[in-house]
C-alpha cells in the first residue's frame, strides 16, 4: 500500500535516495540560517529587541543543516549538489518571496516594512515546515536512526511558527495589519505553487533512483497536483491566519544544542 510512511521508508532505506533527501534538506536549512543571520545584523534601530530572536531562528536553521549532514556522515555518505528544480529556498527568493539576497548582502539597515515582509514569509514557510516535520514525527519519532533528529527539528519548527504569529500580531497592533495580510496572501499563493513544483521534481528524481514503475510515479504526481488544487482553492488560508500562540516568547532563549548524531 502506498502511504507517506512506506514512501519515506523506501527513500530512507536506499543510500542514493537518502543522500539526495538529506542534501536538499541540509542546503535549504543552511540557506535559511544565512538569511536570518543577515536579517539580525540589519534590524532597524527601533526593532533591536527582535535581533536576538532572529539570531536564534538562524542558529536553529544552521543546526538543522548540521543534523542532516550528520545523518549522511553516519551512513558513510557525502552530500550531493542540489538540483536547481528541487531548491525550494532559492526558488522562493527568485520569485520575489521574502527579502532579496542582494538586499541582505548590502550593509544598509532594513526598514520596518522589510521586517514585516520577513516575518510574513517566515510565517508561511514555517507553516509548511511544521506540518512536514509533524508528519515525520508521527511516523518516525521512534526510528533508531532518525527519531532523535526528527523530534528536535519538529520542536524547533513549532517554536519558529509560534514566534512568527506572536511578532506579526505585535506589528498588526502597531498599524501594519493591512500590509501583513496582503504580504501573507502573496507569499502563501506563491509558496503553494513552488512547493508543488519542487515536490514534483523531487519525486521524479526519487522515482528514477528507486526504479518506480510509471504507474506509481503517475499516481504520486496526481496526488501532488490534487494537494495543490485543494491549497489553491482554500488550503492556503491556513497559512495567512494569525492567532496568539500557546508558546509565548518561543525564541526568547538560547538555541538548543544539536545532538551528537555522527
Amino acid at each position: 500500500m502506498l502511504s507517506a510512511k512506506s514512501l519515506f521508508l523506501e527513500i530512507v532505506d536506499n543510500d542514493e535516495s537518502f543522500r539526495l533527501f538529506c542534501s536538499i534538506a541540509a542546503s535549504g536549512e543552511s540557506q535559511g540560517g544565512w538569511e536570518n543571520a543577515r536579517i539580525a545584523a540589519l534590524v532597524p534601530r527601533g526593532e533591536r529587541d527582535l535581533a536576538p530572536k532572529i539570531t536564534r531562528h538562524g542558529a536553529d536553521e544552521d543546526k538543522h543543516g548540521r543534523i542532516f549532514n550528520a545523518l549522511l556522515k553516519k551512513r558513510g555518505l557525502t552530500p550531493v549538489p542540489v538540483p536547481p528544480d528541487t531548491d525550494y529556498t532559492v526558488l522562493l527568493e527568485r520569485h520575489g518571496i521574502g527579502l532579496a539576497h542582494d538586499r541582505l548582502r548590502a550593509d544598509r539597515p532594513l526598514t520596518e516594512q522589510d521586517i514585516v515582509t520577513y516575518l510574513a514569509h517566515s510565517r508561511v514557510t514555517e507553516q509548511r515546515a511544521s506540518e512536514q516535520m509533524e508528519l515525520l514525527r508521527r511516523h518516525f519519532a521512534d526510528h533508531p536512526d532518525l527519531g532523535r533528529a526528527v523530534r528536535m527539528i519538529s520542536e524547533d519548527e513549532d517554536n519558529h511558527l509560534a514566534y512568527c504569529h506572536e511578532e506579526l500580531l505585535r506589528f498588526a497592533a502597531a498599524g501594519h495589519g493591512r500590509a501583513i495580510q496582503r504580504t501573507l496572501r502573496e507569499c502563501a499563493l506563491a509558496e503553494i505553487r513552488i512547493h508543488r513544483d519542487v515536490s514534483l521534481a523531487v519525486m521524479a528524481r526519487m522515482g528514477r533512483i528507486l526504479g518506480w514503475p510509471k504507474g506509481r510515479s503517475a499516481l504520486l504526481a496526481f496526488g501532488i497536483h490534487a494537494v495543490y488544487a485543494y491549497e489553491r482553492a482554500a488550503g492556503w488560508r491556513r497559512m495567512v491566519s494569525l492567532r496568539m500562540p500557546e508558546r509565548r516568547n518561543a525564541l526568547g532563549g538560547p538555541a538548543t544544542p544539536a545532538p551528537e548524531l555522527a
Side-chain angles (χ1 to χ4, degrees):
M1 183 179 70
L2 186 61
S3 66
K5 183 174 183 178
S6 64
L7 180 67
F8 193 69
L9 275 174
E10 190 174 352
I11 290 170
V12 168
D13 288 343
N14 179 280
D15 280 351
E16 286 307 306
S17 54
F18 183 69
R19 192 181 182 202
L20 178 60
F21 168 79
C22 287
S23 297
I24 292 171
S27 175
E29 296 286 357
S30 297
Q31 185 64 47
W34 176 84
E35 290 174 356
N36 278 277
R38 290 301 301 153
I39 292 167
L42 300 174
V43 165
R45 185 181 300 275
E47 292 295 333
R48 292 309 299 171
D49 288 347
L50 193 57
K53 297 179 182 181
I54 302 173
T55 299
R56 160 76 185 275
H57 191 177
D60 284 345
E61 303 289 0
D62 280 335
K63 177 183 68 180
H64 300 167
R66 295 195 304 274
I67 288 173
F68 283 114
N69 282 321
L71 290 170
L72 286 175
K73 185 178 179 181
K74 190 174 183 180
R75 292 250 301 244
L77 303 172
T78 56
V80 295
V82 175
D85 58 351
T86 69
D87 200 325
Y88 172 79
T89 306
V90 168
L91 289 172
L92 285 173
E93 196 256 345
R94 187 175 298 164
H95 284 80
I97 304 305
L99 299 178
H101 287 183
D102 287 346
R103 179 71 178 89
L104 296 181
R105 292 188 183 97
D107 287 327
R108 304 190 317 275
L110 299 172
T111 65
E112 272 197 359
Q113 185 55 53
D114 289 331
I115 298 299
V116 167
T117 297
Y118 148 70
L119 287 168
H121 166 245
S122 295
R123 188 264 177 269
V124 170
T125 56
E126 294 297 342
Q127 178 79 36
R128 181 75 68 187
S130 178
E131 290 171 354
Q132 290 181 329
M133 291 311 303
E134 174 57 31
L135 177 65
L136 292 180
R137 188 172 190 164
R138 191 157 63 242
H139 294 307
F140 296 99
D142 297 324
H143 190 280
D145 296 324
L146 303 178
R148 192 177 182 190
V150 165
R151 292 193 304 271
M152 171 169 278
I153 296 173
S154 179
E155 180 74 10
D156 287 346
E157 301 297 6
D158 289 346
N159 283 337
H160 299 167
L161 184 57
Y163 147 77
C164 292
H165 275 273
E166 186 171 3
E167 295 301 332
L168 282 170
L169 285 170
R170 180 173 66 84
F171 274 99
H176 294 274
R178 288 188 178 180
I180 288 170
Q181 284 302 316
R182 182 179 64 253
T183 308
L184 282 172
R185 187 178 189 279
E186 291 171 355
C187 286
L189 292 176
E191 192 280 340
I192 62 172
R193 185 178 65 253
I194 291 167
H195 180 260
R196 175 202 61 191
D197 294 345
V198 168
S199 297
L200 289 170
V202 170
M203 286 299 105
R205 290 175 185 277
M206 293 299 180
R208 288 194 289 272
I209 291 171
L210 296 168
W212 289 341
K214 290 183 178 179
R216 186 179 192 190
S217 294
L219 181 61
L220 284 169
F222 175 80
I224 292 168
H225 283 292
V227 169
Y228 171 72
Y230 162 72
E231 292 194 328
R232 185 65 181 83
W236 63 272
R237 297 182 186 278
R238 76 190 190 285
M239 295 179 160
V240 304
S241 62
L242 293 175
R243 64 185 183 279
M244 189 58 69
E246 293 182 9
R247 303 183 185 200
R248 302 292 293 274
N249 197 29
L251 297 187
T256 306
E260 182 57 52
L261 295 172

